[in-house]
Amino acid sequence: MTHYALEVRNLTKKIGKKMIVEDVTFQVEKGEIFGLLGPNGAGKTTIIRMIVHLMNRTRGNVVISGHDLDQSFKEAMGEVGAIVENPEFYKYMSGMKNLKHYMRMATKDISDERLNEVIHLVGLEQAIHQKVRTYSLGMRQRLGVAQALLHSPSILILDEPTNGLDPQGIREFRDYLRLLANQGISVLVSSHLLSEMELMCDRFAIIEKGKLTHISRMNETVDNKSLTKQHVTFEVSNGEQAWNLLINHSIGEEVKVEADFIYASMDRETVAKANQLFVSNGLQVYEISYLKTSLEDRFLELTNKDKKEQSI
Ligand SMILES: Nc1ncnc2c1ncn2[C@@H]1O[C@H](COP(=O)(O)OP(=O)(O)OP(=O)(O)O)[C@@H](O)[C@H]1O
Ligand SMILES: [Mg+2]
């Protein structure tokens, strides 16, 4: 029987009369990076805290690598590595000493071989004997991942791991996660940024006011991009001439012109063709932009609505 790395069924949290999380159900496959995407206050942290048992569930099941949290708590938790709040380290001690301290407190025996393995995995070999106080935020984050991985969990759970990292740090972090996934470790990660989820995850779920409203698989989105027609805008040096070129060559559908902007519906290959046609006829093309996909629209609408509510 094949197990999911994580299975969450009807996860629900009610505090007083308020529904914080309602009937959230999803599965994370082995070696998959799965995202929870939602605006501030959507319930991402609450979902994660219930999965790692930092908070009681009102209702629902959590099964980790085939172990039900209610029936085999120890086995289930043994399969999870998590960073929920910022990982706390002793700043006056080296990264190595911090990890060794953690090893001594762990319920499971961890070998020195495993210790060196995780240090290598997160690329901290050079800095591991330096005091944590000298580490950048990105390095601390990696030390946190190393610590979470020490007991060889099958799933790593990270709540907004890229918060505070610069673009370079975010990119590196993404690469580490992919490296882990390629070794068969699953990752559950939360974020409020769609662009980040798109780059980082194989699939992600949208969380809206405590409910899971949509699950998206990334390669499907990429395929769609190249195959389906999208609304596209060209900004050119001469709109009239560009419009004539498209019409005469029967390129694109719903082609409209407004000053030096051309609006049309076409797939990506046709966009490239149109661009070539413009340029070879002496036109300047200043910008080509796609109208946001419906998923993006929906997510932005969601986040903006939320911001408005917060500012009232
Ligand atoms: N202990 C609590 N008592 C009452 N309400 C709570 C409690 N914990 C969380 N909430 C509420 O539950 C909702 C979800 O919070 P949660 O922290 O899970 O959201 P989040 O998606 O992680 O948001 P963020 O992006 O800001 O981290 C919020 O409206 C929050 O105010
Ligand atoms: Mg949160």
Side-chain angles (χ1 to χ4, degrees), residues 15 18 20 39-46 160:
I15 300 181
K18 198 175 164 200
I20 311 274
N40 294 134
K44 306 178 294 294
T45 300
T46 309
E160 308 246 7

Side-chain angles (χ1 to χ4, degrees), residues 32-62:
E32 181 180 44
I33 305 181
F34 189 93
L36 294 176
L37 173 69
N40 294 134
K44 306 178 294 294
T45 300
T46 309
I47 292 172
I48 287 178
R49 287 176 66 89
M50 284 192 280
I51 294 172
V52 299
H53 202 65
L54 282 170
M55 185 188 255
N56 287 324
R57 283 160 279 148
T58 302
R59 188 171 72 233
N61 294 85
V62 175

Side-chain angles (χ1 to χ4, degrees), residues 8-47:
V8 170
R9 284 194 298 259
N10 302 107
L11 195 62
T12 300
K13 180 75 189 179
K14 205 173 168 185
I15 300 181
K17 282 191 177 147
K18 198 175 164 200
M19 259 321 183
I20 311 274
V21 170
E22 192 173 354
D23 277 327
V24 167
T25 297
F26 64 90
Q27 297 91 21
V28 181
E29 283 162 32
K30 199 168 158 14
E32 181 180 44
I33 305 181
F34 189 93
L36 294 176
L37 173 69
N40 294 134
K44 306 178 294 294
T45 300
T46 309
I47 292 172

Side-chain angles (χ1 to χ4, degrees), residues 252-292:
E253 287 167 23
E254 305 168 62
V255 183
K256 291 184 197 86
V257 59
E258 220 181 284
D260 287 335
F261 291 91
I262 298 286
Y263 303 95
S265 165
M266 50 181 80
D267 62 36
R268 274 159 66 88
E269 289 306 314
T270 314
V271 170
K273 239 186 254 169
N275 183 47
Q276 221 161 33
L277 186 67
F278 294 155
V279 174
S280 62
N281 281 278
L283 286 169
Q284 306 285 336
V285 178
Y286 300 114
E287 196 174 320
I288 303 175
S289 55
Y290 291 93
L291 205 72
K292 301 241 179 290

Side-chain angles (χ1 to χ4, degrees), residues 238-249:
N238 185 332
E240 197 65 36
Q241 192 191 342
W243 184 81
N244 276 318
L245 283 168
L246 290 184
I247 297 299
N248 292 339
H249 289 79

